[in-house]
Amino acid sequence: MADNNFHSLGASASQKDTNKNDYDAENKDNVQLGVIDTEPLTVDQQCGWGSWKPSCAQVFNNSKGVLFFLCIFSITQSMAVNGFINVVITSLERRFDLPSINTGLIASSYDIAVLVLLIFVTYYGGQGHKPKMLGCGAFIVGLGSFVFMLPHFTSGLYEFDANTLDVCDKNSTIIEDCESSSNLSLYLGVFIVAQLLHGFGACPLYTLGVTYIDENVPTKMSSVYVGIFYGFSMFGPAIGYVLGGMMLNLYTDIGRRLSITVDSPLWVGAWWLGFIITGTLAWMVSLPLVAYPKQLPGSDKLKRVSETHQSRGEEKASQPGFGSSIRDMPAAFAVLLCNIPFLCLNLAGATEGFIMTGFSTFTPKYVESQFGLPSSWSATLFGIVVVPSGFLGTVMGGWCIKKMKLKVAGIIKYCFVMILFSSLCCAILLARCPNPLFAGITTPYNSTGATIDGNLTDICNRDCHCLSIYDPVCGSDGIAYYSPCHAGCQTRDESQLNKRVYHDCECIPQLDGNSTSAYAGKCERNCSYQIVFFVVFFLAIFFTFMASVPALTATLRCVPFSQRSFALGIQWIVIRVLGSIPGPIVFGAVIDRSCILWEEKCGSSGTCWQYDNPMMSLYLFIVAAGLKVLSLLFFSLALCTYKPPMQETAEDHEGIAIDKYKTVEPKETELEAFTEK
């Protein structure tokens, strides 16, 4: 009775408190995630441009809004750098008279720019206004895209000589012109400047962008947000490959009438169109990014539990104000050098980056050589496999860390297991396909019964005055020939509009009364390992990306809180210097060792047109397996050397030990916890 009277007398007073507690409990997660804040926002916490803080902008003033715009930025940047540029490299070589070494320099200029600026961006950005630096970076990326497309509008119309693809003409006296020069190669500097701008603008994206997310969401949600961020960045190259391939089907000078088709080696597609898209998107996303405050509303209420590796200098790095001056940079660098788990994680990331960049660059070439698929279809299949596997692996990797509530040691063990699974998938490289039949290279010219000597010239085509332009045809005997001229073809069937067909080919023996003819393109061939290869390759990419976000999470947690941006900057430098920059070079050199047919032009070797498939598979397996063993070794060393922080004996209600160097808010009383429930 007394209890009932007590509740009756206090009903009006307690009802208000109960409603308040219910509201707080309902929105507790939203407050922690930065979605809403129960307190009025100060001017510094509001989203806007200068003194203009429109109310509509506050709808996006939360972690989900930041994640959305960062995903758009990452898609745009990767679409330009890893998508369009990779697709148009061959077109640039043909359009601007650039050798492969120069186009390789164009591709490497991006990483060079990142190396030059990254250390300073991450050091100062760690203490500065990260959203403004991200917005400025997006603007610079857009500027780089617009600069990249400038040569199309300043170089005039593309001119070519269609007579260079003539058939066998024994009365011809055409010789290769090795002395002609062109001023078009001067545009190399423009492309390099554009790539440098791409690199400068991308510096803050995967360093300051990641730490800004991590600072403004609860620790348990950080891996999920970062996983989504990295997962969406996988769509950029895929969109770039698809759109870039479609745009290359349009002639570079749109609207001009032509005498050649898209399958001609002289064709140059509209390589410049894609950069209009990326430039516009980058400038559009830069506006909302610069509008965000230095810290999102509610981020100051987040509880942080330190898992920093205990090493010399760790206490110094935890002091207030450390890292705000350039004089602290050597000391900050020394602190990270003493962090052995951090260094081991960097080396593991470098080996994985080495493998990923090498395979991403040359897997389409590998697929084209092994399975005899067209280059465009090889690139499309590569995108179809990599994008879903990379996206699922990245997102699920972040989700697994949250679901299993792993600490640093557990995360490293998890990464070891995922990399072990991906290592086992490398065995698919040993399932290789036989070499195709290629006259003079893998099989003799049947017209004379000659032996295989690597010589494309034989009695049947010796007087044809064939040029060294690679224009393969498939003969009616099922053997590929270097060009219609090398097959000894005398005439071209002009009635075939959609397919080039040649007749009276002296190098092709007459079989069963059929005419000695050939059609443009490579001979079709089947390989029983094709489906198996793509299934296992999907799993290899999936397991590799399952470890990417967890490894990044372990890096963020094992370094001092104030050093995370700087640590990510150093990690990206290590990954680029030891991984992504030398990776394609080494993989390219390994693949070149298996080349059995080089282009000969004016006495020098150019592009490789035919590879020894079994040797290519073996070489790639040896390199991939060796790098995977190194990656497993570095993860093992990181686990063995990691020392968790010294902890108090008391633990909070979730069983998480509290760092003695870190102050946390008092725990809720049992009554408050019961009320919220």
Side-chain angles (χ1 to χ4, degrees):
M1 183 69 177
D3 289 342
N4 291 336
N5 290 337
F6 174 78
H7 286 296
S8 298
L9 292 173
S12 59
S14 62
Q15 184 65 37
K16 182 177 180 180
D17 293 337
T18 301
N19 292 338
K20 179 180 181 301
N21 289 332
D22 290 341
Y23 176 84
D24 290 343
E26 180 181 357
N27 295 282
K28 180 180 179 181
D29 289 337
N30 288 337
V31 172
Q32 288 186 337
L33 292 174
V35 177
I36 63 171
D37 198 345
T38 56
E39 299 177 359
L41 300 181
T42 64
V43 175
D44 293 337
Q45 293 176 321
Q46 294 178 3
C47 190
W49 299 267
S51 59
W52 185 43
K53 312 283 186 180
S55 57
C56 59
Q58 310 315 313
V59 177
F60 300 97
N61 193 13
N62 51 66
S63 57
K64 292 183 176 64
V66 170
L67 180 63
F68 172 78
F69 290 115
L70 284 179
C71 286
I72 299 298
F73 185 10
S74 67
I75 291 174
T76 303
Q77 179 269 339
S78 58
M79 190 193 310
V81 175
N82 301 318
F84 288 140
I85 289 179
N86 290 342
V87 169
V88 306
I89 281 293
T90 304
S91 299
L92 294 181
E93 292 178 357
R94 190 175 300 132
R95 175 66 180 89
F96 296 98
D97 297 334
L98 298 174
S100 297
I101 189 173
N102 285 350
T103 53
L105 179 59
I106 293 173
S108 298
S109 298
Y110 170 82
D111 289 306
I112 293 172
V114 173
L115 290 178
V116 170
L117 204 60
L118 189 60
I119 192 74
F120 300 101
V121 169
T122 53
Y123 182 76
Y124 286 108
Q127 306 295 329
H129 199 294
K130 295 182 181 67
K132 282 186 169 56
M133 298 189 71
L134 287 165
C136 292
F139 181 85
I140 296 174
V141 167
L143 181 62
S145 291
F146 287 125
V147 171
F148 201 96
M149 58 178 282
L150 275 180
H152 170 74
F153 298 98
T154 58
S155 59
L157 297 177
Y158 169 54
E159 304 293 344
F160 58 89
D161 183 8
N163 292 327
T164 57
L165 292 182
D166 207 354
V167 294
C168 175
D169 186 357
K170 296 184 179 181
N171 297 321
S172 174
T173 57
I174 297 177
I175 59 174
E176 288 183 283
D177 183 6
C178 298
E179 298 180 356
S180 63
S181 60
S182 173
N183 293 326
L184 291 175
S185 58
L186 297 178
Y187 284 104
L188 172 65
V190 179
F191 294 125
I192 290 177
V193 169
Q195 276 288 73
L196 291 175
L197 291 173
H198 280 147
F200 292 152
C203 280
L205 178 58
Y206 295 105
T207 52
L208 301 185
V210 172
T211 52
Y212 188 69
I213 291 175
D214 187 65
E215 291 170 357
N216 291 280
V217 299
T219 301
K220 65 180 181 179
M221 293 298 298
S222 176
S223 60
V224 176
Y225 273 66
V226 175
I228 294 174
F229 169 59
Y230 271 86
F232 271 91
S233 68
M234 295 293 300
F235 285 97
I239 297 173
Y241 270 96
V242 174
L243 287 182
M246 295 171 59
M247 292 171 183
L248 289 183
N249 288 325
L250 301 174
Y251 189 65
T252 182
D253 301 316
I254 297 178
R256 185 181 177 190
R257 300 185 64 179
L258 303 170
S259 59
I260 59 174
T261 59
V262 69
D263 63 338
S264 170
L266 298 175
W267 178 274
V268 173
W271 59 270
W272 50 274
L273 273 177
F275 297 99
I276 297 179
I277 299 175
T278 55
T280 303
L281 285 176
W283 278 6
M284 290 176 61
V285 79
S286 67
L287 291 176
L289 284 176
V290 297
Y292 277 97
K294 187 174 182 180
Q295 286 186 319
L296 292 179
S299 62
D300 54 340
K301 298 180 176 64
L302 298 177
K303 295 182 180 180
R304 296 290 178 184
V305 179
S306 175
E307 296 181 72
T308 305
H309 170 71
Q310 294 300 295
S311 62
R312 290 180 298 173
E314 186 270 331
E315 293 188 19
K316 182 177 181 180
S318 302
Q319 294 176 358
F322 179 79
S324 59
S325 172
I326 188 65
R327 292 176 296 181
D328 293 335
M329 182 180 288
F333 188 69
V335 169
L336 294 177
L337 283 181
C338 294
N339 194 324
I340 304 301
F342 168 71
L343 297 180
C344 292
L345 289 173
N346 287 350
L347 294 175
T351 54
E352 290 300 311
F354 197 108
I355 298 173
M356 290 304 300
T357 54
F359 272 109
S360 64
T361 303
F362 293 105
T363 296
K365 181 184 289 290
Y366 176 86
V367 171
E368 180 182 355
S369 177
Q370 291 286 333
F371 308 122
L373 300 177
S375 57
S376 58
W377 183 230
S378 300
T380 302
L381 284 176
F382 177 74
I384 291 174
V385 172
V386 169
V387 172
S389 60
F391 177 79
L392 290 175
T394 303
V395 175
M396 288 188 63
W399 178 82
C400 286
I401 298 303
K402 172 185 177 295
K403 189 69 175 178
M404 294 187 287
K405 300 179 180 179
L406 297 178
K407 302 301 180 185
V408 171
I411 293 174
I412 298 175
K413 293 178 183 177
Y414 168 89
C415 293
F416 181 92
V417 173
M418 293 298 106
I419 297 302
L420 179 61
F421 287 157
S422 67
S423 302
L424 297 177
C425 295
C426 292
I428 190 61
L429 293 173
L430 296 176
R432 58 240 187 192
C433 300
N435 289 322
L437 298 178
F438 201 108
I441 304 300
T442 61
T443 188
Y445 277 91
N446 291 327
S447 60
T448 61
T451 59
I452 302 174
D453 57 2
N455 191 353
L456 296 173
T457 303
D458 197 57
I459 296 176
C460 60
N461 61 20
R462 186 167 297 165
D463 298 327
C464 290
H465 305 289
C466 299
L467 300 178
S468 60
I469 296 176
Y470 182 63
D471 185 25
V473 295
C474 181
S476 55
D477 57 350
I479 298 176
Y481 296 83
Y482 192 83
S483 71
C485 181
H486 287 83
C489 300
Q490 307 293 319
T491 60
R492 174 178 172 178
D493 190 349
E494 300 295 340
S495 64
Q496 299 287 338
L497 299 179
N498 298 324
K499 192 172 186 178
R500 288 184 291 145
V501 179
Y502 301 89
H503 298 292
D504 302 323
C505 304
E506 294 186 0
C507 295
I508 302 175
Q510 189 172 8
L511 302 175
D512 300 329
N514 296 326
S515 61
T516 55
S517 61
Y519 62 87
K522 299 178 181 179
C523 297
E524 296 181 2
R525 55 193 180 94
N526 296 321
C527 181
S528 58
Y529 296 114
Q530 182 172 331
I531 297 178
V532 178
F533 172 81
F534 282 111
V535 171
V536 178
F537 187 68
F538 179 96
L539 294 176
I541 297 296
F542 175 76
F543 287 127
T544 298
F545 278 91
M546 281 281 284
S548 61
V549 172
L552 179 65
T553 303
T555 301
L556 290 173
R557 293 188 186 181
C558 75
V559 299
F561 188 82
S562 62
Q563 297 297 104
R564 291 177 306 161
S565 296
F566 189 47
L568 284 186
I570 292 177
Q571 185 177 69
W572 273 107
I573 290 176
V574 172
I575 290 176
R576 277 175 164 78
V577 171
L578 300 180
S580 59
I581 292 179
I585 298 174
V586 173
F587 269 76
V590 168
I591 288 178
D592 283 345
R593 285 183 61 87
S594 63
C595 181
I596 54 179
L597 176 59
W598 289 97
E599 176 190 29
E600 294 291 337
K601 188 173 183 180
C602 299
S604 61
S605 298
T607 304
C608 179
W609 295 125
Q610 188 64 49
Y611 296 92
D612 187 326
N613 287 337
M615 295 306 297
M616 178 192 287
S617 296
L618 179 61
Y619 291 154
L620 288 180
F621 171 77
I622 292 173
V623 174
L627 289 170
K628 285 292 185 181
V629 170
L630 282 178
S631 182
L632 292 171
L633 176 63
F634 289 134
F635 276 118
S636 300
L637 291 175
L639 179 62
C640 295
T641 57
Y642 173 70
K643 296 180 181 179
M646 298 178 62
Q647 300 168 339
E648 301 285 0
T649 56
E651 295 185 350
D652 63 7
H653 62 283
E654 293 181 349
I656 302 175
I658 302 175
D659 184 1
K660 71 175 183 179
Y661 299 113
K662 184 71 175 177
T663 303
V664 297
E665 297 177 4
K667 294 184 293 186
E668 297 173 325
T669 64
E670 294 183 0
L671 178 60
E672 290 173 334
F674 177 80
T675 303
E676 287 191 358
K677 292 180 181 178

